[in-house]
Amino acid sequence: GDFSQLFGIKSYTLTEGRAKGVRAFDVNNGTGLNFTVLQDRCLDIAGLSFNGTNCSYISKTGIVAPEYYSEKGDGFLRSFTAGFLTTCGLRNVGSPCEENDEAFTMHGRISNIPAEEVCAFTEWENGTPVGVISGKMREARLFGENLMLTRKISCKYGENKITILNTIENQGFRKEVLMLLFHFNLGYPLLDENAFLVASTEELIPRDSEAEKGKNNYMQCQPPTPGYIEQVFYQTLKADKNGDTQVALINEILDLGVVIQFNKNQLFNFAQWKQMGEGEYVMGLEPCNCFVGGRTDPRNNEKLEYLEPGESRNFDLTIELLSEKKQIRD
């Protein structure tokens, strides 16, 4: 019969509330992995579940169409769906700031830019079906920057992995700061008091005095806690000779884990966002090429990266879902 009953990609348009008009794709890999890609929100990933268990965190804003995005103040937070992945950048990450009479918004604009030249299809590779979604997001303005993010998301039938290939090209005629953070957000029930972070941390730097209070148990999660104030930790991770490294959130009670693999030669920093509050109950795992205080944060001095005119850079990520005790322990 129709293979779509086993695996594939379903496209549709949301019709209710502030999500009205958002085009989306539901991806089913046929062996328990399901996730939603938002065409009108940078091809970011909203919900993600594995064998019927939710692994992502969608904030109280829900899915929000890009026309509701406001660059003023904390306007980003009013359309911050979070989801499994929100892309932050491309010219600012973290706090809003001003530099050279230009205002830079919280976490940048890219996550609210719709994709163009979008393709979604299933192809066969050596007898195995692979779901593929690709597209381009342009961050540009008259008399300003012209940056293009090209993204390809792929997922094989029977393999509980998602590959996200990103290329950013400076199509303008001046050098541009490039700040990029992949904001992976993990939620209940994967995230509960039994969950813990696994990371090959060589150095841990609390972002501020609040994070300093939690540095001794940064790896362990708590139940939803009244009055909890977010804690952010910067981590230097070990990597292999090629620069590859990984982090994971594990819940052994559920026999469930989410692994995020990336390369330190592309993304030198890792930020952990620990928010154990009531209603805002989420762990953010965030590979990045900067610190999250905004481009004027003193921590970014001498750390900011640039793209020359015509230059492009790749940022590749692999997400793996674990569901067996041996996999998790390995």
Side-chain angles (χ1 to χ4, degrees), residues 20-54:
K20 183 177 181 180
V22 173
R23 294 165 293 177
F25 302 99
D26 281 349
V27 182
N28 172 19
N29 85 327
T31 52
L33 176 56
N34 295 272
F35 58 96
T36 298
V37 176
L38 302 179
Q39 177 174 339
D40 291 300
R41 292 292 302 270
C42 191
L43 292 180
D44 280 339
I45 299 174
L48 181 146
S49 65
F50 187 53
N51 291 333
T53 300
N54 177 63

Side-chain angles (χ1 to χ4, degrees), residues 197 204 217-220 231-235 270-274 283-286:
L197 175 71
L204 181 80
N217 64 343
Y218 71 96
M219 301 181 75
Q220 186 61 49
Q231 297 179 353
V232 175
F233 305 96
Y234 300 120
Q235 299 182 36
F270 171 67
Q272 175 197 2
W273 176 44
K274 187 177 179 183
M283 177 79 80
L285 307 182
E286 305 168 2

